[in-house]
């Protein structure tokens, strides 16, 4: 038997079962063997029924008179029966598990474990888990519990896998150089443990295997990238110096270092594949601008991809001011762009040197004459296919240099695994003069005495930057809401001060009442792109004092005169997102504030208290990894692609061992041919470990 054979070759799998398994992606023998138990039940040392005491018990016996009925009141099915051993009998009850009626045969002996308690006037065993005695290891009493897949319950998996017990012995190893044990043993003990220790050993082995695959995939991506050809772009030091000197500020050391890394990469004939990580406000845009200028000087076109129209137009305005005087022809291409065919023609003919755009850039009819550099802002907002689309727009035989930017820092453990040997530059320094953002948790009842007065003060403060002086009356405020529309049916004029009002529109009305002299507007994702742009432009120009918005302002938008943010229903956001949102303020020289508004019903979560304590995105990313696990943090993984079965991305010891072994593995090119199963299996990981 081969591991890649269809599950149907297994004794316990008939056509019906196969259909269900296939539906859940379990197609091959390998898939089934890697469907590992979610946990184990321990049926060690059963007591006799006569000696049972209330509480958790393990008993061993036969079951009869099993029947199922519907409870009258609630929509509940009740399955009842009697368990007997040589010392006595006990009533057993399951709720909403009517399949139990078919699970047992009256001649066979089973273990049961559950709570023995007083319910509905008598003692019974409540919803115990059950396992056939013959299928449980006699010494350890351990029995696996599988996740139910549709109609297939844990016990069905147990039955199927037990029938295949004899195939484990011939399972070949997936990897070379594993120091302890074999895959055959690891998989066997995962399904048929004979001690707690054997489970630990099995999980450790399989976790290692998984990390090895992930790291190998990531490193192979790098090798593949290194085989590609790109247009080398020479570093024109004097021209770049001119640009830097024309800027209204001095670059930070971190910006200089990042730009230097990028210029080195772009000088090579293999494509750059670099990730620029910088906390919100660290100044990634100008680094992108310098790279774009360098590419322009080298005679190639540049595309900058941004996740939203607002952000694209902000980049466009910002970079136009800097680069157009130097002769760069810049265009903006978003869904709202007029005369698209004409613009696309200019891009195709190479008249446009730098195009900044949204998804609109990715359409098939956007062609470049000589695309040499692709910059992706907030790269985790884009899927692999989207990024690839742009990369394919370069001339035949040449790959563009790629600079990906993100403000969502990748925790180091992820960097070592998922993004293996990616080139990374980090902006770990904020521009001079920035004030840290003071963050505080505030409850509903405190709004009137604490929050509103502070907001009033902000509205009265002198504008942060001179250029806003004309239109901005004072400093500006973001108020972030969860919902767009009224949710609870209350109408305008509702003067209750309770903050159960979470919609953008309602909050906007409310704030207009509280601050009659302020110009309050709202923004949300359902507005037309052109409407959104108008509101955002007005806010940026200081024509709006308080902007009530959903999280559409989360990404990248830069209004230095906005110095206070309120995040309503703060508990409903993730840590990374809260940090991103908060980064919309504190972008100028004035002190900035972020209020996390909560109902006050519960103690604030760890997420919020961590946010109050730290302004450091890298630190917060580590915390987030610990609190939530990796899948939810990093955008590229948002589709659940990185569902590691068992490996933990915070197991740094195992990670570094796997990394070392992958290094050794890659030294021998023959391995790539020899380990076919391994090489075939890592394609799925390569999809998510690639930048381009
Ligand atoms: P982010 O990294 O979040 O994309 P931006 O590139 O939008 O940050 O920069 C945030 C703000 O800081 C912008 O207003 C930008 O002009 C300004 N800025 C960037 N670099 C510097 C610097 N070295 N000194 C002062 N201000 C800077
Ligand atoms: Mg940015």
């Amino acid at each position: 038997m081969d591991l890649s054979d269809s599950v149907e070759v297994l004794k316990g799998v008939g056509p019906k079962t196969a259909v269900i398994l296939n539906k859940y992606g379990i197609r091959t023998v390998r898939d089934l063997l890697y469907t590992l138990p979610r946990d184990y039940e321990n049926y060690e040392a059963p007591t006799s029924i006569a000696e049972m005491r209330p509480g958790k018990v393990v008993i061993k016996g036969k079951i009869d008179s099993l029947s199922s009925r519907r409870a009258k009141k609630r929509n509940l099915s009740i399955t009842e029966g009697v368990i007997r051993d040589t010392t006595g009998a006990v009533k057993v009850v399951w709720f909403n598990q009517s399949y139990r009626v078919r699970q047992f045969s009256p001649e066979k002996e089973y273990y049961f474990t559950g709570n023995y308690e007083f319910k509905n006037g008598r003692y019974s065993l409540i919803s115990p888990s059950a396992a056939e005695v013959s299928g449980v290891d006699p010494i350890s009493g351990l029995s696996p519990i599988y996740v139910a897949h549709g109609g297939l319950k844990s016990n069905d998996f147990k039955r199927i896998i037990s029938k295949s017990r004899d195939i484990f012995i011939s399972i070949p190893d997936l990897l070379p150089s594993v120091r302890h044990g074999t895959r055959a043993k690891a998989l066997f003990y995962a399904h048929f443990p004979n001690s707690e220790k054997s489970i630990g050993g099995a999980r450790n082995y399989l976790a290692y295997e998984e990390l090895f695959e992930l790291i190998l995939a990531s490193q192979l991506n790098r090798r593949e990238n290194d085989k590609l050809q790109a247009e080398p772009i020479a570093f024109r030091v004097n021209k770049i110096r001119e640009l830097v000197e024309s800027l209204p500020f001095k670059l930070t050391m971190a910006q200089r270092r990042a730009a230097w890394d990028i210029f080195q990469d772009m000088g090579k004939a293999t494509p750059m594949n670099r990730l620029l990580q910088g906390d919100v406000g660290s100044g990634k845009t100008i680094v992108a601008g310098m790279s774009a200028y360098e590419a322009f000087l080298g005679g190639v076109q540049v595309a900058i991809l941004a996740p939203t129209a607002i952000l694209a137009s902000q980049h466009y305005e910002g970079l136009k001011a800097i680069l157009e005087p130097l002769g760069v022809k810049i265009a903006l291409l978003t869904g709202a762009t007029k005369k698209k065919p004409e613009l696309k023609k200019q891009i195709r003919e190479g008249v446009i040197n730098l195009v900044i755009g949204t998804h609109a850039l990715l359409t098939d009819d956007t062609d470049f004459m000589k695309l040499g550099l692709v910059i992706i802002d907030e790269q985790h907002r884009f899927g692999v296919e989207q990024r690839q689309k742009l990369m394919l727009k370069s001339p035949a035989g040449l790959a563009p240099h790629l600079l990906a930017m993100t403000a969502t820092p990748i925790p180091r453990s992820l960097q070592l695994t998922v993004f293996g040997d990616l080139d990374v530059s980090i902006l770990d320094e904020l521009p001079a003069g920035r004030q840290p953002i003071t963050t505080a948790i505030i409850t509903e009842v405190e709004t009137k005495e604490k929050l509103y007065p502070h907001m009033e003060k902000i509205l009265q403060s002198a504008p942060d930057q001179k250029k806003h002086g004309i239109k901005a009356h004072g400093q500006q405020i973001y108020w972030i809401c969860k919902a767009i529309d009224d949710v609870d049916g209350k109408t305008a004029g509702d003067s209750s001060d309770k903050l159960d009002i979470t919609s953008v529109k309602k909050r906007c009305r409310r704030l207009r009442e509280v601050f009659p002299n302020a110009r309050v507007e709202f923004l949300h994702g359902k507005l037309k792109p052109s409407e959104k742009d108008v509101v955002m432009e007005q806010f940026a120009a200081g024509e709006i004092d308080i902007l009530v918005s959903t999280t559409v302002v989360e990404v990248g938008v830069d209004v230095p005169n906005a110095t206070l943010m309120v995040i309503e229903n703060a508990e409903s956001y993730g840590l990374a997102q809260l940090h991103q949102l908060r980064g919309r303020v504190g972008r100028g020289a004035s002190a900035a504030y972020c209020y996390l508004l909560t109902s006050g019903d519960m103690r604030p979560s760890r997420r919020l208290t961590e946010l109050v304590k730290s302004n450091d995105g890298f630190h917060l990313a580590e915390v987030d990894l610990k609190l939530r696990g990796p899948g939810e943090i990093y955008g590229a993984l948002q589709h659940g692609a990185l569902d590691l079965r068992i490996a933990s991305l915070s197991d740094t010891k195992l990670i570094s061992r796997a990394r070392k072994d992958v290094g050794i593995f890659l030294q021998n090119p023959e391995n790539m041919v020899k380990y076919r199963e391994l090489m075939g299996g890592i394609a799925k990981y390569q999809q998510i470990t690639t930048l381009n």
Side-chain angles (χ1 to χ4, degrees), residues 479-625:
W479 187 299
I480 307 299
C481 290
K482 193 76 194 162
I484 296 172
D485 289 302
D486 297 357
V487 275
D488 53 5
K490 284 189 197 154
T491 45
D494 170 16
S495 62
S496 108
D497 247 326
K498 268 183 75 81
L499 292 177
D500 55 314
I501 322 157
T502 52
S503 83
V504 165
K505 290 172 188 166
K506 193 168 273 185
R507 176 52 63 197
C508 183
R509 291 195 294 267
R510 185 78 193 96
L511 289 173
R512 279 177 183 154
E513 287 168 24
V514 179
F515 302 100
N517 298 321
R519 296 160 300 180
V520 188
E521 290 299 337
F522 64 81
L523 179 70
H524 58 74
K526 280 199 189 141
L527 293 176
K528 286 196 202 110
S530 55
E531 293 172 328
K532 266 191 274 188
D533 288 352
V534 168
V535 175
M536 209 51 228
E537 274 157 24
Q538 286 177 338
F539 188 63
E543 293 165 17
I544 294 171
D545 301 308
I546 303 177
L547 182 64
V548 183
S549 174
T550 57
T551 54
V552 288
V553 294
E554 174 191 347
V555 165
V557 179
D558 189 32
V559 183
N561 190 45
T563 56
L564 188 146
M565 171 176 282
V566 180
I567 305 176
E568 190 164 352
N569 292 116
E571 293 284 6
S572 61
Y573 300 93
L575 185 49
Q577 198 178 15
L578 287 168
H579 180 63
Q580 286 265 335
L581 278 167
R582 178 172 63 173
R584 298 308 107 219
V585 296
R587 300 170 80 85
S590 309
Y593 306 89
C594 177
Y595 285 103
L596 307 170
L597 192 52
T598 70
S599 66
D601 295 344
M602 282 181 291
R603 275 182 51 204
S605 65
R606 175 92 193 276
R607 286 200 306 278
L608 299 193
T609 55
E610 289 288 341
L611 198 72
V612 169
K613 275 193 276 179
S614 174
N615 265 304
D616 178 350
F618 287 89
H619 168 73
L620 292 173
E622 292 290 348
V623 173
D624 206 18
L625 179 66

Side-chain angles (χ1 to χ4, degrees), residues 188-418:
F188 181 81
Y189 285 125
H191 293 289
F192 309 102
N194 63 6
S195 65
E196 297 282 353
K197 208 174 145 217
S198 70
I199 298 174
R203 293 189 77 86
N204 210 39
Y205 183 100
L206 296 170
Y208 168 85
E209 205 182 71
E210 203 170 24
L211 288 169
F212 190 103
E213 287 185 287
L214 184 61
I215 294 167
L216 179 61
S218 155
Q219 304 225 353
L220 284 174
N221 280 333
R222 186 194 180 86
R223 291 196 161 200
E224 277 164 25
N225 187 70
D226 288 351
K227 278 189 220 140
L228 299 174
Q229 291 281 315
E231 173 95 9
I233 293 160
F235 180 34
R236 290 168 173 83
V237 61
N238 291 326
K239 291 280 193 183
I240 295 292
R241 188 171 295 146
E242 247 173 64
L243 165 63
V244 170
E245 275 160 13
S246 77
L247 295 175
F249 46 72
K250 231 177 126 241
L251 291 179
T252 64
M253 273 314 291
Q255 284 170 320
R256 283 170 196 277
R257 268 197 306 269
W260 174 255
D261 291 342
I262 292 165
F263 295 149
Q264 296 297 306
D265 285 358
M266 284 169 63
K268 293 182 191 146
T270 49
M272 166 166 73
N273 191 31
R274 183 168 289 276
L275 182 68
L276 178 60
Q277 286 190 61
D279 217 339
V280 278
S282 59
K284 292 184 290 295
T285 316
I286 189 59
V287 177
M290 291 165 69
S291 316
Y293 186 48
E294 171 87 347
F296 161 76
L297 295 171
V300 296
Q301 288 172 292
V302 182
I304 299 183
L305 187 62
T308 64
I310 295 172
L311 200 55
S313 56
Q314 199 161 56
H315 283 333
Y316 171 71
E317 298 297 340
L319 293 177
K320 195 164 111 165
I322 298 166
L323 297 179
E324 216 167 53
L326 301 170
V328 184
K329 299 237 168 27
I330 308 188
L332 176 68
L333 179 55
T334 68
T337 302
K338 303 208 175 68
K339 297 192 181 162
K340 275 205 196 84
E342 214 173 299
L343 177 58
K344 285 182 180 172
K345 184 162 169 274
Q346 290 183 317
I347 296 172
R348 199 176 312 121
E349 289 171 353
V351 181
I352 301 291
N353 308 119
L354 165 59
V355 54
I356 299 168
T358 52
H359 296 86
L361 260 181
L362 302 175
T363 54
D364 292 334
D365 62 342
T366 319
D367 292 315
F368 290 79
M369 190 167 93
K370 196 173 187 186
L371 181 62
L373 171 65
V374 169
I375 299 175
I376 303 184
D377 196 15
E378 309 294 344
Q379 75 99 17
H380 61 284
R381 288 294 184 106
F382 295 94
V384 178
E385 300 87 32
Q386 290 171 320
R387 301 191 305 239
Q388 240 152 18
K389 257 193 178 153
L390 199 51
M391 303 303 285
L392 292 174
K393 292 190 183 293
S394 53
L398 282 184
H401 294 288
L402 174 70
L403 177 65
M405 307 199 288
T406 180
T408 307
I410 306 175
R412 207 178 136 62
S413 47
L414 276 191
Q415 215 175 92
L416 291 175
T417 50
V418 183

Side-chain angles (χ1 to χ4, degrees), residues 15-26 149-152:
K16 258 198 204 149
T17 305
V19 168
I20 304 179
L21 290 173
N22 286 346
K23 201 176 131 205
Y24 288 93
I26 303 170
H149 290 60
L152 294 177

